[in-house]
Amino acid sequence: MTADRRIVLSSDHAAIPLRLAVAAHVTAQGWEVVDLGPATPESTNYPERGAEAARRVASGDCRFGIILCGTGQGIMMAANKVKGVRCGVCSDTFSARMIRQHNDANMLSMGARVVGEGLALDIVDAFLSAPFDGGRHAPRVEMIKALEA
Ligand code: RB5
């Protein structure tokens, strides 16, 4: 499968069951999943987990990344340090749609201690199905990219 149908998933120890549920959900939709783990529940560092996934997206190896920790916040902060990544934390479907349409986000973060599985999967669907609107939003995304220089 080509990179444009590939999603990288990563979490810390706080979000393993939700990550596995997301993996099954998007696999059933025909996405190829690169699951970076962890497989076992020992404590692990969300900055490393987020950065590893972000590098897969920034390199073009994966079209999107979905990352999870307890709140979704710390792993998002780490991912956004990687040049080329635009990641938002979402706990509602409206925001998930808008970070694609207006911000051209290429990564989604969620908190496993914030959202339940049903809502999380709806958020994933909203994120993956919304296109970037372009138009007046394009120069603003370019301004975000310019901040990385
Ligand atoms: C782990 O206890 C927790 O700090 C982490 O999952 C996350 O919520 C950090 O932002």
Side-chain angles (χ1 to χ4, degrees), residues 1 13 15 31 40 42 49 65 68 99 111 116 124 126 132 139 144:
M1 212 174 281
H13 53 280
W31 291 91
T40 56
E42 294 80 31
R49 297 288 176 175
L68 308 132
I99 64 171
V124 167
F132 176 47
I144 295 175

Side-chain angles (χ1 to χ4, degrees), residues 13-91:
H13 53 280
I16 294 173
L18 185 57
R19 193 192 77 244
L20 295 177
V22 171
H25 185 72
V26 298
T27 298
Q29 294 175 347
W31 291 91
E32 181 183 354
V33 167
V34 176
D35 188 350
L36 300 180
T40 56
E42 294 80 31
S43 185
T44 185
N45 299 316
Y46 62 81
E48 294 167 336
R49 297 288 176 175
E52 189 182 4
R55 288 188 199 105
R56 295 287 191 121
V57 174
S59 71
D61 182 43
C62 296
R63 174 64 185 94
F64 293 119
I66 300 176
I67 53 177
L68 308 132
C69 66
T71 59
Q73 301 290 351
I75 202 165
M76 173 276 291
M77 292 177 195
N80 275 320
K81 294 294 182 186
V82 175
K83 187 174 179 178
V85 163
R86 289 175 302 286
C87 181
V89 183
C90 294
S91 48

